[in-house]
Structure formats: C-alpha cells, structure tokens
Amino acid sequence: MAATLYSIPPSHPALAAKLMLRRVGLNHRVVELPPGLHAAVVRARGFERGTVPALVIDGRRIQGSTAISRYLDELFPGVLFPTEPGLRARVAEAEEWGEREFQPVPRRIFRWILARDPEARAELARQSKLPLAALQARTTAPIARRFATAVGASEERVRRDIATLPEQLERVDTYIADGTIGGEEPNAADFQIATTVHALMRFPQLRPLIEGRPAADLARRVVGEPREVPVRVPDEWIAPTRS
C-alpha cells in the first residue's frame, strides 16, 4: 500500500495526520510543502481544496484530519476508534469538536500575526528551510494577509478566541477526566486535540494559560515538548484572561 501525506511545517492538523499514520503503522512518506505556495501544489496533485493534510493512498485522495482518521479506521479498525459503541461515539464527538471548534483557534491567531509581523514571517520561512528568510518576509506579506482573511482571522475574532480559550481548555480537561481522551493508547480525538493544545503552547503569551492543566500533560505525552515561536499578540489582549 503506497501512501503520501502532503503537509506544511506549521500545520497542527497535518501533525495530527502524521501521528495517526504512525499509530496505525502504515508505511508512508511525508512531503513538506512551502507555506503560502502549498495550496497550488496540493491542487496540482489532484485534490479539490488547497489545504493540508492531504493524503494519497493507492491513488485515493483523502483531505482533512477527520476524513483521514475515518479512512484509516476503515483500514485498521479498532486502532484510532474504540470498538465499544458508547466510547466510540464519545471519541467521535470529541474529535469532531476538536476539528470544528478548537483546531481553528491557533490557526487564526498565527495567521493574524503573520499578516502583520514581518519577523514572524521570516521565522516561518526559516522553519520551512526556505532561502533568504528576510526577503521572504517582505514578499509574502500579501499572501499572508490573504490567508488570514480566508480563515476569518480578524482582530475581533482573534481577541474572542483568546478570551474564550480557558473555556475550551476546560472542555479538553473534561474529556480527559471522563476517559474520552488521555488513555493508555491515544485515539483519533487525542491526536486531534493534543496537537491543537501543543500548537497553542508554542505561543509564549498563551503557554501560562495552559501549563498545569491536564491538557498540557496530554500535549506533551502525545506530541512532545512544544518549542516556542517568537510571535506576539498585543499584551492587553492577554491580561484580562489571566486576571
């Protein structure tokens, strides 16, 4: 079975797909695409949308982290989703919430910053191993603004994301407490949610809101130690949340 996963370095949904592929033991290769240019490349590979993760398995194209988890569940039943019907339904609900509500939060924050901060764009270029990072930061500004607009990363929305982050983290902690996620073997919802928590912990201003929670322990256990990125939102957006 031949499998190829298309990804970009900062994508936490793509990271979730990578971890799921490892979990089921499917032999695959990962193609890391340059951020900003990835949409055209993915469409050129025959996918309907220019988004990652995008997976090809024996000629079949599957796009999006939840679609990938469901297809892998067909190939490897009982690995990513429990076989017991009640627990399976809870895992599926948690995964769907994680993809629909939680996953977009770090994406919106990061794209809002990229659209406004050339140093953040330069750091992304360095992480992606692109040459001439400073030049990339200047020339990719219009692309960054377009990508921010595409996900609704307005100032109002990003401020609301930060203000409601404690509520979302409480939901993650509840999923851990009731055994939906955080078990001995990670399931599809673990991968979906832990990678989002991990992405949020990479923001230096947001990490203090997460440290000490079960959600932080989950992110470290499933993904690893988050490496901070030098990106910032206005400090006053954070202060009311900390108080």
Side-chain angles (χ1 to χ4, degrees):
M1 184 176 292
T4 300
L5 179 71
Y6 295 95
S7 170
I8 58 175
S11 171
H12 52 291
L15 176 57
K18 294 172 190 175
L19 294 172
M20 288 188 285
L21 285 164
R22 292 176 197 167
R23 175 75 180 92
V24 301
L26 178 62
N27 187 35
H28 64 282
R29 70 183 183 113
V30 176
V31 178
E32 297 287 0
L33 302 174
L37 303 177
H38 67 279
V41 176
V42 169
R43 287 195 180 95
R45 297 293 187 273
F47 288 90
E48 182 179 346
R49 305 184 309 279
T51 59
V52 296
L55 179 67
V56 181
I57 298 183
D58 284 347
R60 177 166 177 173
R61 288 165 175 77
I62 308 102
Q63 198 164 17
S65 52
T66 54
I68 289 171
S69 73
R70 303 309 168 90
Y71 186 66
L72 292 178
D73 182 51
E74 293 178 19
L75 298 178
F76 304 93
V79 180
L80 294 177
F81 290 89
T83 55
E84 195 278 316
L87 182 55
R88 179 184 176 90
R90 284 164 45 200
V91 169
E93 186 275 335
E95 185 201 30
E96 289 166 4
W97 171 82
E99 191 274 339
R100 183 183 64 253
E101 303 291 339
F102 195 40
Q103 185 192 95
V105 173
R107 181 186 302 119
R108 283 193 293 262
I109 297 171
F110 192 53
R111 289 193 184 185
W112 186 88
I113 295 170
L114 286 178
R116 287 154 181 80
D117 186 350
E119 177 52 35
R121 295 194 295 274
E123 175 61 20
L124 177 59
R126 287 189 286 269
Q127 287 187 18
S128 305
K129 297 181 171 53
L130 297 176
L132 305 172
L135 178 61
Q136 293 279 350
R138 292 194 297 273
T139 59
T140 57
I143 298 174
R145 288 192 290 269
R146 186 166 68 249
F147 273 82
T149 300
V151 297
S154 65
E155 177 178 329
E156 178 184 6
R157 185 58 190 265
V158 171
R159 293 187 72 161
R160 187 162 71 248
D161 284 335
I162 293 171
T164 58
L165 181 57
E167 298 171 24
Q168 294 180 308
L169 292 170
E170 283 293 336
R171 183 162 183 167
V172 174
D173 290 346
T174 298
Y175 283 138
I176 296 170
D178 70 15
T180 302
I181 60 176
E184 185 175 343
E185 296 292 346
N187 57 47
D190 280 286
F191 294 124
Q192 184 72 249
I193 293 171
T195 50
T196 297
V197 175
H198 186 272
L200 288 164
M201 291 177 72
R202 298 188 68 194
F203 295 97
Q205 294 161 293
L206 300 183
R207 185 180 284 220
L209 306 177
I210 307 170
E211 289 288 11
R213 289 178 171 273
D217 296 336
L218 178 75
R220 286 190 168 95
R221 183 158 63 85
V222 174
V223 186
E225 183 64 32
R227 183 171 63 85
E228 290 188 349
V229 290
V231 295
R232 298 188 68 83
V233 296
D235 286 332
E236 60 268 22
W237 293 11
I238 307 295
T241 308
R242 287 178 179 163
S243 61

